[in-house]
Amino acid sequence: MKVGVHKIAMASPSDVSELTALIADGAIDPKAIVAVIGKTEGNGGANDFTRGFATLAFALALSPYRDQSADEVMSDIAFVWSGGTEGVLSPHATVFTRTTSETGASHPEGRLALGIAMTRDIRPEEIGTMAHVEEVANAVRRAQQDAGIPDGADVHYVQVKGPLLSPEKIADADSRGEPLVTRDPNGSKPFARGAMALGVGLGLGEISGEAVTADTIAEDMSVFSSVASTSAGGELTKCEILLFGNAPGASSDCRIGHAILKDAIDADGTRSALADAGYTDEDGPDAILSVFAKGEAAAKIRGRRTTMMSDADIHFERHARAAAGAVIASVTGDPAIFLSGGTEHQCAPGEAPVAAIVKA
């Protein structure tokens, strides 16, 4: 397997100009694209329509290149968007290609590999429940096999995007007399993100089955995965799993590593993720291909009070993304960072995961 990583800037959620330019130059084979992970300038909430808008724009742009309808493109390519580019965060997309070659050189120390899987439709009444957890766990196992990574310790980042509740989904469940974990669309985000993260932990064997019950989800934050990054959107019905790690049989020209941000101002956490991927300062900023992180709000940071949790004007997730984004960008020199809010079951309380892909 050889995975290509291409970061492109976006002037708007529908801007595909850099993508089509790279295709025209031969830098990207459109038929080899398997996933897109990006940030849009929406609000990041349940009603953030920029995510679906960006998916449609990319699907329409790729349709003629792949000889597929837009619906077929959306079915064959995993699109993961996170809304909210507060502060210095820059709207962008990272496009992943995947090819195989009998002549490509493999590397015993491991190179970047990518596995993809998708769950069935998650019913509204299943969002944030054990059914949600188990569906993701099974998909993660399939994604690990698809990536060709035999050892879960070599998995460094599992991005899951799945559904949350919307007014339409709530009405659907009501029409069938099915109970829900909450009736608040935005309030369903912690349940959805938490269930998916626990599914990652179960799928990789980080978490035992006995440790996860219905009462664990979005409640007992002492149970978590160390490599999960989950996001939820009202536009989705299934969970899309993108599993990244280093496989000895891969011939990619890059590697991935991960670490933990102890808080929103932990610059050393980003440096640790880069080092875990094999990066050194001598490599220079151009060797940093992409960074993926979470931002977590806190009432106090290193003993100092913040107003993140009490600000009635700005949602705490937006505060967290802005703060963490600035700190990460100060290390990488690039504000085009995939940084989403909410860390339920994705790290220890108060912390946040970060992963980095660098040139090998």
Side-chain angles (χ1 to χ4, degrees):
M1 180 189 300
K2 183 173 184 178
V3 177
V5 183
H6 308 269
K7 186 188 289 184
I8 60 174
M10 296 174 64
S12 71
S14 61
D15 179 22
V16 295
S17 58
E18 286 203 12
L19 172 65
T20 55
L22 288 172
I23 291 173
D25 290 344
I28 292 180
D29 175 0
K31 293 185 178 180
I33 296 173
V34 293
V36 177
I37 300 179
K39 289 292 297 184
T40 66
E41 59 234 64
N43 60 25
N47 66 331
D48 185 349
F49 303 111
T50 63
R51 298 183 298 243
F53 187 22
T55 295
L56 179 61
F58 272 66
L60 289 171
L62 289 169
S63 175
Y65 293 107
R66 293 171 62 98
D67 299 319
Q68 293 180 308
S69 68
D71 285 343
E72 288 171 330
V73 173
M74 287 187 279
S75 177
D76 287 354
I77 296 176
F79 289 96
V80 176
W81 299 100
S82 170
T85 49
E86 300 82 5
V88 303
L89 291 175
S90 180
H92 72 283
T94 302
V95 179
F96 295 91
T97 59
R98 189 172 66 173
T99 56
T100 57
S101 172
E102 296 295 330
T103 59
S106 61
H107 303 270
E109 74 277 15
R111 292 291 175 89
L112 182 66
L114 164 60
I116 301 172
M118 189 174 295
T119 68
R120 61 165 173 79
D121 283 342
I122 305 298
R123 295 188 293 273
E125 62 270 21
E126 293 177 323
I127 292 173
T129 71
M130 284 302 299
H132 200 172
V133 173
E134 290 161 1
E135 284 296 325
V136 170
N138 289 331
V140 166
R141 296 182 187 106
R142 296 196 300 272
Q144 184 179 347
Q145 184 176 17
D146 184 49
I149 302 176
D151 189 347
D154 292 324
V155 175
H156 291 272
Y157 175 57
V158 183
Q159 173 62 54
V160 186
K161 184 81 176 187
L164 51 70
L165 288 172
S166 64
E168 294 77 15
K169 291 174 184 173
I170 292 171
D172 173 54
D174 287 346
S175 71
R176 294 179 287 106
E178 296 291 348
L180 299 166
V181 294
T182 178
R183 302 188 65 81
D184 176 9
N186 280 307
S188 70
K189 290 166 70 175
F191 291 97
R193 290 188 302 233
M196 291 185 288
L198 291 169
V200 173
L202 282 178
L204 292 177
E206 296 178 286
I207 302 171
S208 68
E210 295 76 20
V212 183
T213 67
D215 293 333
T216 308
I217 304 170
E219 292 293 340
D220 185 357
M221 298 304 171
S222 68
V223 183
F224 57 87
S225 165
S226 62
V227 295
S229 177
T230 65
S231 299
E235 72 278 10
L236 299 174
T237 60
K238 299 176 172 64
C239 296
E240 301 172 337
I241 290 85
L242 302 177
L243 182 146
F244 296 84
N246 298 313
S251 60
S252 308
D253 59 1
C254 47
R255 285 177 51 84
I256 187 169
H258 78 282
I260 290 295
L261 303 174
K262 296 300 182 183
D263 53 39
I265 58 174
D266 181 17
D268 285 340
T270 299
R271 295 187 183 98
S272 294
L274 293 169
D276 191 48
Y279 175 84
T280 66
D281 290 339
E282 288 72 26
D283 295 325
D286 288 346
I288 303 172
L289 299 179
S290 206
V291 173
F292 310 90
K294 279 285 185 173
E296 185 60 272
K300 282 189 175 182
I301 293 180
R302 304 192 188 185
R304 296 291 191 180
R305 183 176 70 92
T306 79
T307 60
M308 290 184 183
M309 308 301 290
S310 56
D311 190 341
D313 297 311
I314 302 173
H315 193 275
F316 62 84
E317 285 187 6
R318 308 196 80 168
H319 274 293
R321 288 193 293 260
V327 174
I328 294 170
S330 73
V331 175
T332 64
D334 182 1
I337 301 158
F338 182 86
L339 200 159
S340 61
T343 60
E344 302 86 359
H345 303 295
Q346 297 155 68
C347 55
E351 299 180 346
V354 59
I357 298 175
V358 306
K359 291 180 182 178

